[in-house]
Amino acid sequence: MVEDVVIVGAGIAGLATALALRRVGIKALVLERSDELRATGAALALFPNAWLALEALGVSHKLTSIYSPASRGFITNLSNGAIRELQPSGATREGIVTRAVHRKALLNALAEELPTDSIRFSSKITAIETEEHEGSSSIAVIHVQDGTVIKAKALIGCDGVRSMVANWLGLAEPVSSGRSSARGLAVYPQGHGLQKDVHQFVGLGRRAGFVPLNDKEIYWFFTCASPAKGANLPTDPKEIQKDLIENYAKDLPEMYLEVVKHCDLSTLTWATLMLRLPWKVAFGKLSKQTITVAGDAMHPMTPDLAQGGCSALEDAVVLARHIGTSYIQNGGLFPREMAKAIENYAEERKWRAAWLIAGSFLSGWVQSGGSHSLWGLRLFRDIIFYKFILTRIVDFMHYDCGKLPSVQGFGELDKNK
């Protein structure tokens, strides 16, 4: 038996791609190496481009009914204490705004729309091959750790920063951004009493912030230069929290430190921020025959524009649009036509992905402000970046990835979910 589409990874990109394909009448098998849905990272901000993608997937209402939009944004300059008020993202002409959501809630919203047999857990892939199919085209052959061999007309790698599929394609390895980030979820059983405002603190080589998710939970982050080469980041959550409060963030405002002190330690992580160099994406091999990548497997980026998850949702819609159009026009999935559809997807996505990577890195580098000696960088940030450049970058967050093609008979498919 040959599967229509196999997706490696049940993260945001993998589940969204499976759902997008289902919306155009194509069933996909998702292989996930964990024994349950992964929820690395407590929460994430979803900007208008993500909500437009979620609307195309038909699930945005499941989250907008739970999470209210951010109201205002405040940026505190750690060098002089000056506070600048910004609109968090603005709204699209359709009134779509930014909301912060639990990562687990987003994953569940996507997974609930899939047939129960769509995700195969504890399925770590060990090798990828291709073989001729019906004498004129090739299909993917996926080897799983338990000895299973799966054949598919198309293979989509949504397997994260260290993607095996990206490696098979020959994409350049991700590199360190030179910065590290701690992230977590603060919990206030009796309520935190804060407004739904986004607070950021920038300068002196650091960037930190927090945003309430609801009345009792706050998502927070902290980024700084990575430790010297050879030094290890702490891995124990208690040590991370202690290090932040007593060393790295000790001179940040008390309101921020209180949030860190309330952190649910089970959600606390600290890791080096990785990215794939933008020109390696723009000019790299993003697809080969009927094999491609999406999400972090294609374009790992720093979180400074909160576009990792947002762009993964875009990928899902764009990829399904190209494959779905081929499916409709040709009356089925044929490897030769799918290869062309996947090539068109990669062509459409490569430059946007490259610009998002570059914009995210630039935003983080400029806003952190460097050390005390980099006065020129701080001047550039406060006078030029915030007034002129950031508004242009924010335009990228209002991108509309488009709709999915309509497939007659999908209603019957949905009844059999």
Side-chain angles (χ1 to χ4, degrees):
M1 177 183 174
V2 178
E3 300 283 347
D4 284 339
V5 179
V6 167
I7 298 169
V8 182
I12 294 173
L15 294 178
T17 301
L19 178 55
L21 289 170
R22 177 164 175 76
R23 295 296 192 229
V24 297
I26 300 168
K27 183 177 180 181
L29 173 64
V30 182
L31 302 179
E32 168 56 45
R33 66 179 182 178
S34 303
D35 57 5
E36 61 181 359
L37 288 181
R38 294 175 287 123
T40 304
L44 73 164
L46 295 180
F47 283 80
N49 58 319
W51 291 108
L52 289 168
L54 288 169
E55 280 192 359
L57 296 173
V59 297
S60 62
H61 65 283
K62 299 171 73 172
L63 297 168
T64 55
S65 62
I66 302 173
Y67 299 98
S68 58
S71 51
R72 297 173 298 173
F74 298 95
I75 299 179
T76 300
N77 186 327
L78 294 175
S79 302
N80 56 24
I83 300 175
R84 178 187 299 269
E85 182 174 351
L86 297 173
Q87 291 300 316
S89 68
T92 65
R93 57 181 176 270
E94 293 85 7
I96 300 172
V97 295
T98 300
R99 302 168 195 259
V101 307
H102 292 88
R103 185 174 294 263
K104 189 73 170 180
L106 174 57
L107 292 177
N108 286 337
L110 297 168
E112 288 166 359
E113 298 295 310
L114 296 171
T116 54
D117 60 348
S118 292
I119 308 172
R120 190 177 297 176
F121 293 104
S122 303
S123 298
K124 181 181 179 180
I125 65 170
T126 57
I128 301 167
E129 299 174 315
T130 59
E131 69 174 34
E132 257 193 24
H133 181 63
E134 297 178 352
S136 61
S137 55
S138 68
I139 60 173
V141 181
I142 305 105
H143 296 263
V144 185
Q145 192 172 48
D146 64 5
T148 304
V149 177
I150 302 171
K151 298 181 179 182
K153 295 177 184 177
L155 172 63
I156 304 166
C158 300
D159 45 340
V161 177
R162 301 296 184 185
S163 167
M164 176 177 284
V165 181
N167 185 60
W168 184 89
L169 287 171
L171 279 172
E173 286 290 321
V175 299
S176 170
S177 67
R179 293 183 296 138
S180 300
S181 178
R183 287 173 269 195
L185 197 65
V187 179
Y188 295 74
Q190 306 306 316
H192 50 67
L194 298 177
Q195 297 294 318
K196 195 70 181 291
D197 297 330
V198 179
H199 288 270
Q200 291 192 62
F201 309 91
V202 301
L204 306 180
R206 294 166 296 175
R207 180 169 171 267
F210 64 82
V211 57
L213 293 170
N214 50 42
D215 293 339
K216 296 183 179 180
E217 295 173 297
I218 298 174
Y219 172 63
W220 64 271
F221 68 89
F222 178 90
T223 62
C224 63
S226 295
K229 192 173 182 179
N232 294 321
L233 291 170
T235 56
D236 179 73
K238 286 186 178 180
E239 287 299 315
I240 295 173
Q241 184 185 48
K242 183 172 183 290
D243 228 3
L244 286 172
I245 294 171
E246 297 181 0
N247 297 308
Y248 290 96
K250 64 182 180 182
D251 55 346
L252 264 68
E254 186 61 30
M255 66 184 301
Y256 177 81
L257 294 176
E258 278 299 313
V259 171
V260 178
K261 290 175 184 177
H262 279 82
C263 183
D264 174 356
L265 295 181
S266 68
T267 69
L268 181 52
T269 61
W270 195 348
T272 300
L273 298 177
M274 308 294 289
L275 72 152
R276 179 165 283 123
L277 296 173
W279 53 91
K280 298 291 187 181
V281 174
F283 301 106
K285 189 73 172 175
L286 301 183
S287 68
K288 183 178 181 182
Q289 298 169 350
T290 59
I291 300 176
T292 191
V293 284
D296 283 345
M298 178 194 288
H299 44 65
M301 64 187 75
T302 62
D304 302 288
L305 293 179
Q307 284 297 297
C310 299
S311 57
L313 293 168
E314 290 180 16
D315 291 342
V317 174
V318 174
L319 179 55
R321 170 159 44 82
H322 283 286
I323 294 178
T325 300
S326 174
Y327 172 64
I328 295 167
Q329 291 177 347
N330 296 290
L333 294 177
F334 302 100
R336 186 187 299 275
E337 285 71 25
M338 285 187 71
K340 181 60 177 174
I342 287 173
E343 181 183 352
N344 291 340
Y345 150 77
E347 188 67 23
E348 179 174 341
R349 293 302 292 165
K350 65 181 184 181
W351 283 108
R352 175 161 173 79
W355 280 113
L356 284 174
I357 294 170
S360 295
F361 179 81
L362 175 65
S363 178
W365 181 70
V366 171
Q367 289 189 82
S368 65
S371 64
H372 287 283
S373 61
L374 296 177
W375 62 269
L377 179 59
R378 298 201 304 274
L379 188 67
F380 172 78
R381 177 194 67 201
D382 296 338
I383 296 179
I384 298 176
F385 181 78
Y386 284 138
K387 289 185 178 180
F388 304 106
I389 298 178
L390 185 59
T391 55
R392 297 292 183 89
I393 292 177
V394 167
D395 286 343
F396 279 87
M397 304 174 188
H398 293 78
Y399 176 81
D400 187 349
C401 60
K403 307 297 183 184
L404 293 170
S406 177
V407 180
Q408 188 175 8
F410 173 74
E412 291 305 313
L413 277 174
D414 201 44
K415 289 177 184 176
N416 295 324
K417 182 173 71 169

